[in-house]
Amino acid sequence: MSSKNNGSANVDDVMEAAKMAQQAKQAMGQVNDAIPDQAKSALQSAKERIFDSDQLRSLTVFCGFGEGGSAFSVALNPTVLCPRLKNNLVFFYLNYILVTAIVFCIVLLATMLNPVSLIFLVALAFGWFVVLRATADGSTQVGPLTITRKVASGIMVVISVILAFFLVKDIFFVTMGSGAALSLLHAFFRDASQHYNTADSSTQSPLVDGEDADYEK
């Protein structure tokens, strides 16, 4: 009798989760429909400009290989330091995002090597396997409710996000701070003035508009 009650409770939980996922999907659809097309186009355009791969500087330029001792220097004079920081943050912004992402991934991988995290990851992978296997025909029947693969995947995405949050919440701000600190140190010491080019406007950073100084890759 107890096992039947537990089984019924599990079915009810799955059905409730499926309903919540469907409601969340409908809410997201309503929010998306409420956004004006002009705003969507502007956001898409900004995304394409900011994450344009042409703005990613080469490792040679980023590290100053071949520039000798002039690649990095200490500038304490505000008239030199402030423009350097501004220009470097604009010129290398995509590299700094990449550095922060790499730091985050390294720390995340190191965190995942502990037993508790591995157990969670194995359980999550098994959950995804079960969901994909059960919905191989496009849907699965749970009691009187038919759950499509799309809804089941949505539930698993929510579970995965929640699990990921609890796994990385302790390291997120630490890694973001570490990445920002490394980027600021680079911007402070890197003298990339020879790469600032006023002739080629096609490579100007999308973070500035109407600036006199454009940049070369």
Side-chain angles (χ1 to χ4, degrees):
M1 185 70 178
S2 175
S3 62
K4 288 183 178 180
N5 290 336
N6 290 337
S8 177
N10 290 335
V11 171
D12 292 340
D13 290 341
V14 172
M15 293 174 62
E16 186 65 26
K19 291 178 181 178
M20 290 177 63
Q22 187 66 26
Q23 291 173 356
K25 177 185 173 184
Q26 292 174 353
M28 290 297 295
Q30 292 174 356
V31 171
N32 185 62
D33 293 339
I35 300 175
D37 292 337
Q38 186 176 2
K40 292 179 183 178
S41 299
L43 289 173
Q44 182 65 26
S45 177
K47 177 182 176 182
E48 292 174 355
R49 290 179 61 198
I50 292 174
F51 293 101
D52 183 1
S53 60
D54 289 340
Q55 302 298 330
L56 185 65
R57 312 306 170 184
S58 67
L59 185 63
T60 300
V61 174
F62 185 70
C63 296
F65 294 144
E67 298 179 23
S70 63
F72 293 89
S73 62
V74 178
L76 300 179
N77 189 336
T79 59
V80 177
L81 179 59
C82 291
R84 173 187 290 186
L85 287 173
K86 175 188 173 183
N87 289 327
N88 280 343
L89 289 173
V90 170
F91 186 56
F92 293 113
Y93 79 93
L94 201 54
N95 295 78
Y96 294 149
I97 293 175
L98 181 61
V99 167
T100 303
I102 291 173
V103 171
F104 180 79
C105 290
I106 292 174
V107 176
L108 182 62
L109 288 174
T111 304
M112 294 300 178
L113 295 179
N114 70 75
V116 175
S117 297
L118 290 176
I119 291 173
F120 277 121
L121 289 176
V122 170
L124 183 62
F126 180 74
W128 273 104
F129 173 78
V130 171
V131 166
L132 295 177
R133 183 80 177 270
T135 58
D137 295 331
S139 64
T140 187
Q141 195 75 23
V142 180
L145 187 65
T146 299
I147 301 178
T148 65
R149 167 170 281 194
K150 192 172 184 179
V151 172
S153 298
I155 295 173
M156 287 304 300
V157 167
V158 172
I159 295 174
S160 300
V161 170
I162 294 174
L163 180 60
F165 171 77
F166 283 105
L167 288 177
V168 306
K169 66 183 179 67
D170 294 331
I171 66 169
F172 180 80
F173 293 106
V174 174
T175 53
M176 293 298 104
S178 300
L182 289 173
S183 300
L184 285 175
L185 283 174
H186 180 276
F188 185 90
F189 291 108
R190 179 71 172 101
D191 181 7
S193 56
Q194 63 176 294
H195 298 286
Y196 304 154
N197 183 10
T198 58
D200 185 7
S201 60
S202 64
T203 56
Q204 184 178 5
S205 170
L207 297 183
V208 294
D209 197 11
E211 295 284 348
D212 292 332
D214 299 323
Y215 308 106
E216 62 180 11
K217 292 174 69 178

